[in-house]
Amino acid sequence: MKKYIYKISLLACFMALVSCDKDLEDINVNPNKPLEVPTGGLFNKSNKDLMTNTRGGFPSGRMALPWVQYSAQRNYTDEDLYLFRTGVNNSLYTDIFLAAKGYKEIIDIVTNPNNQVKVKTYGHPGNMLAASRIMLVYSQLQALEIYGDIPYYSYGSDDPDFEAMTIGTPEAKRTPKFAPQDKIFKDMLKELKEASESIELDSGIFNQGDFLFGNAGKMKKFANSLRLKIANRVKGVIPEAQEHIADAIKSGVMSSNDDSVGLKFQNDKVNPAPLYRAAFIDNRNDFAPTNTFVELLKGEEKMVGKKNPFKGIVDPRLFKMVAPKTNITKDENNKDIETAVSFRASKTVGSIEQGNYVDRTADFYVGMPIGILGSFTGSQTGSVSQFGSAVYKADKVEVLMEYAEVEFILSEVNGWNDTNYKNGIKASMLSWGITQTEVDEYLKDVPSANEENVMTQKYIALYMQPYEAWSEYRRTKFPKTFLLPGETRDLAAPGPNGETQYTFVPKVDLKDLPERITYPSDMDLVNKANKDAAAQRMGGDKMDTKLIWAKK
């Protein structure tokens, strides 16, 4: 009772301080928690959450990046050996679908007949709907190609197998079915086609909050390019994919780097890019470029039985993607001295955080051994490079899809066309800040297009887009430069007991890269029956169960 009287007294005092004509409703409004979120705000939040939660230190740095051998861990290597953390998997699955739910919420707002006057103040209703349909495909595609069969939502289909995201509707399904992959891919192609065709090019999209597209023309090219990507991936198992490939190209795909779509983060410590946060806010120096990737860029062949299709050619992207082991600085007598490149900002030597080191010759770039035991890391880190400063920029652009990838896809669908192939290389290099002169010199030396060359260059261009690179490896088994389970290669420095070599022995029984991630353990608590049915349909909830397009 005393507690209750005390609260009443406080309320009375507060009301006495406000003017007599101030409504109680106004008093209770929290200015920091608006009652209504405009669609542009929902769009921006969903985009930011999706990219942050799929490109961060755990889901990317400790899972996908080492699996496709862009990155090796400098401390704990269980994930490099395919033993991922259950909690990270649970979060990854949940975060993808929470972002997708945000896009669906925009659809619900835009299509509600009671909201039409208000909706027009947020932007162009038809184009906002198209943007949400496109991003629903993009977000759910992430989950589809990680797990296989998933619960799926479609705006334009009433297929009874599509039961995801119905909570809050009259037909809510708290334990939705997991839809088969072939059905989902077919619907995604249909959704992207319909969304693209609905776009009004002479109108805007969101009045504010759109940091992805900016204009309807760019959004349309993204929708068509994403449809081209998906159709190309499933062309061997879904007959109508070939028609979608032709139609997407005809409808207009990305044609320059200006058409690339990515989310640029802030150059601060409030909303920085995911890897900057992992490194310089969470204060973790956990990742380094791998030996296999660095040697590919350097044009080296250091593994028995592995051929580098670009042997003898140094890729100028090496100096952007990777930092040298050491830097040249001046001593008190203005003489050059060689010092290790610092990870964090330093007043005395060049650092990754500041990006103020100097480029060196290729021999100063050495990759971290991928696939070693954690007990070996301490003997290796002092002899290897860090990621280049561009990878850790606070205002880094996290790419959803870029023009270079489109050109590599066009090379493939055009019978490994050489012009498209070289256009892809050029676009990737220019996006990394390589000069036109350096690009021209490289293209003079690079071998002509064939399947291996195109797919290996595509792998390089997808650097820091690890889930996409993983999908392409599972589909094609390129590049051929990976260190696979059971294979042996040299260490960067003597091991803890003087070892000079190591063998990649994963902690999960796999002979190649994982084919998928097993369903989150949370599914056993909330939707076990449908999860088990999906697993049985696919061939088992295992890391070597192939998706429908992974036939090699």
Side-chain angles (χ1 to χ4, degrees):
M1 176 64 78
K2 286 182 181 179
K3 201 175 202 179
Y4 177 73
I5 293 171
Y6 176 67
K7 288 183 178 179
I8 293 294
S9 300
L10 276 179
L11 179 60
C13 291
F14 179 75
M15 292 180 67
L17 291 173
V18 301
S19 61
C20 296
D21 60 353
K22 183 73 173 174
D23 290 336
L24 184 61
E25 293 170 353
D26 292 336
I27 295 170
N28 287 330
V29 170
N30 180 352
N32 297 317
K33 188 176 182 181
L35 299 175
E36 174 188 312
V37 180
T39 53
L42 284 171
F43 190 69
N44 182 40
K45 183 181 187 304
S46 295
N47 297 336
K48 177 181 175 294
D49 288 349
L50 180 64
M51 301 315 292
T52 297
N53 293 326
T54 57
R55 301 284 177 89
F58 279 95
S60 182
R62 291 177 177 82
M63 289 175 72
L65 278 172
W67 290 1
V68 292
Q69 298 187 19
Y70 289 140
S71 170
Q73 294 191 81
R74 294 165 49 89
N75 297 298
Y76 312 106
T77 63
D78 280 357
E79 290 93 346
D80 298 27
L81 304 173
Y82 304 156
L83 186 64
F84 60 84
R85 306 179 198 207
T86 300
V88 174
N89 188 24
N90 287 332
S91 296
L92 177 62
Y93 181 93
T94 300
D95 289 336
I96 290 172
F97 278 100
L98 284 175
K101 185 175 180 292
Y103 303 124
K104 181 182 181 293
E105 189 172 346
I106 297 170
I107 289 175
D108 292 341
I109 293 171
V110 170
T111 57
N112 186 333
N114 299 321
N115 288 340
Q116 294 313 297
V117 174
K118 184 190 303 179
V119 163
K120 289 179 181 178
T121 68
Y122 297 153
H124 185 278
N127 284 351
M128 289 191 291
L129 175 60
S132 302
R133 293 177 75 177
I134 293 163
M135 288 307 297
L136 260 171
V137 170
Y138 180 87
S139 56
Q140 291 181 102
L141 179 66
Q142 310 309 300
L144 176 64
E145 297 195 326
I146 290 171
Y147 300 104
D149 296 10
I150 54 168
Y152 176 72
Y153 168 80
S154 171
Y155 168 76
S157 173
D158 57 2
D159 190 304
D161 283 340
F162 299 163
E163 293 185 343
M165 291 183 273
T166 59
I167 300 301
T169 70
E171 300 176 351
K173 303 283 186 182
R174 296 191 176 276
T175 55
K177 297 176 185 175
F178 285 55
Q181 295 164 61
D182 60 337
K183 276 193 173 186
I184 297 175
F185 280 119
K186 289 177 184 179
D187 187 75
M188 284 180 165
L189 294 170
K190 171 178 165 292
E191 280 292 293
L192 290 170
K193 177 177 171 63
E194 291 180 359
S196 174
E197 291 174 345
S198 74
I199 294 170
E200 294 189 18
L201 293 176
D202 58 351
S203 300
I205 311 173
F206 299 91
N207 289 340
Q208 57 183 338
D210 174 14
F211 300 102
L212 280 185
F213 304 126
N215 63 75
K218 187 170 183 175
M219 179 170 70
K220 188 178 183 73
K221 287 185 177 183
F222 176 73
N224 292 329
S225 300
L226 184 58
R227 179 157 62 114
L228 172 66
K229 180 217 296 276
I230 294 172
N232 186 57
R233 190 160 289 157
V234 301
K235 63 189 177 186
V237 291
I238 294 179
E240 54 264 49
Q242 289 289 355
E243 182 180 338
H244 280 285
I245 289 172
D247 186 67
I249 295 170
K250 180 181 177 182
S251 300
V253 294
M254 295 176 185
S255 57
S256 77
N257 278 341
D258 290 340
D259 297 329
S260 297
V261 172
L263 184 65
K264 185 174 184 177
F265 284 77
Q266 293 176 195
N267 191 22
D268 56 33
K269 294 195 175 185
V270 179
N271 287 309
L275 283 183
Y276 178 92
R277 178 176 295 279
F280 303 116
I281 296 179
D282 298 341
N283 290 316
R284 300 288 310 189
N285 184 8
D286 284 334
F287 314 119
T290 64
N291 46 7
T292 56
F293 186 68
V294 172
E295 289 162 13
L296 174 62
L297 295 178
K298 289 170 68 175
E300 295 179 336
E301 281 184 0
K302 288 194 172 182
M303 288 181 59
V304 175
K306 303 280 182 178
K307 293 193 176 298
N308 185 340
F310 309 107
K311 182 180 179 180
I313 310 171
V314 177
D315 190 318
R317 286 171 290 188
L318 168 70
F319 309 103
K320 303 292 185 181
M321 296 173 168
V322 183
K325 293 189 301 176
T326 58
N327 189 48
I328 296 294
T329 57
K330 299 289 186 180
D331 66 10
E332 63 275 10
N333 297 317
N334 203 36
K335 291 184 178 180
D336 288 346
I337 58 171
E338 196 162 323
T339 59
V341 174
S342 171
F343 183 63
R344 294 176 179 83
S346 170
K347 294 181 179 179
T348 58
V349 299
S351 72
I352 304 299
E353 186 173 9
Q354 294 169 304
N356 58 346
Y357 53 84
V358 297
D359 291 347
R360 310 296 301 276
T361 55
D363 51 308
F364 284 91
Y365 297 77
V366 178
M368 181 78 176
I370 181 68
I372 58 175
L373 294 172
S375 59
F376 277 68
T377 58
S379 65
Q380 304 302 302
T381 53
S383 300
V384 302
S385 296
Q386 301 270 5
F387 282 129
S389 62
V391 173
Y392 283 115
K393 287 172 58 179
D395 59 347
K396 183 177 183 293
V397 175
E398 290 294 344
V399 173
L400 280 74
M401 190 172 182
E402 58 189 338
Y403 165 58
E405 182 183 355
V406 172
E407 285 288 359
F408 291 124
I409 296 171
L410 292 175
S411 177
E412 179 176 349
V413 301
N414 291 329
W416 310 111
N417 178 273
D418 196 66
T419 299
N420 294 127
Y421 159 69
K422 289 179 178 173
N423 285 344
I425 296 172
K426 177 180 177 180
S428 174
M429 288 189 167
L430 292 176
S431 73
W432 279 93
I434 307 303
T435 67
Q436 185 65 58
T437 300
E438 291 176 300
V439 173
D440 292 342
E441 287 298 317
Y442 184 80
L443 291 178
K444 287 179 184 177
D445 297 330
V446 75
S448 299
N450 60 32
E451 183 179 13
E452 180 172 14
N453 294 345
V454 172
M455 296 310 303
T456 304
Q457 281 290 342
K458 187 177 186 180
Y459 165 71
I460 296 171
L462 289 171
Y463 187 55
M464 292 296 139
Q465 300 175 59
Y467 284 99
E468 184 61 32
W470 182 35
S471 292
E472 286 298 83
Y473 177 80
R474 288 177 286 165
R475 179 176 73 92
T476 68
K477 295 305 177 187
F478 289 108
K480 297 293 188 183
T481 53
F482 287 163
L483 177 70
L484 299 179
E487 294 180 341
T488 299
R489 62 153 299 147
D490 292 339
L491 290 162
N497 297 306
E499 300 93 339
T500 59
Q501 292 187 320
Y502 71 100
T503 300
F504 179 16
V505 181
K507 294 190 174 184
V508 177
D509 185 18
L510 293 173
K511 307 301 182 188
D512 203 334
L513 272 63
E515 292 289 344
R516 60 183 289 276
I517 300 176
T518 53
Y519 286 123
S521 60
D522 284 351
M523 290 297 100
D524 287 338
L525 301 175
V526 298
N527 200 4
K528 182 174 175 21
N530 284 319
K531 183 268 289 184
D532 288 347
Q536 183 177 13
R537 181 170 62 236
M538 290 192 301
D541 189 13
K542 302 176 295 183
M543 292 181 74
D544 60 357
T545 298
K546 292 177 180 273
L547 272 61
I548 61 170
W549 42 254
K551 295 301 181 183
K552 293 193 177 183

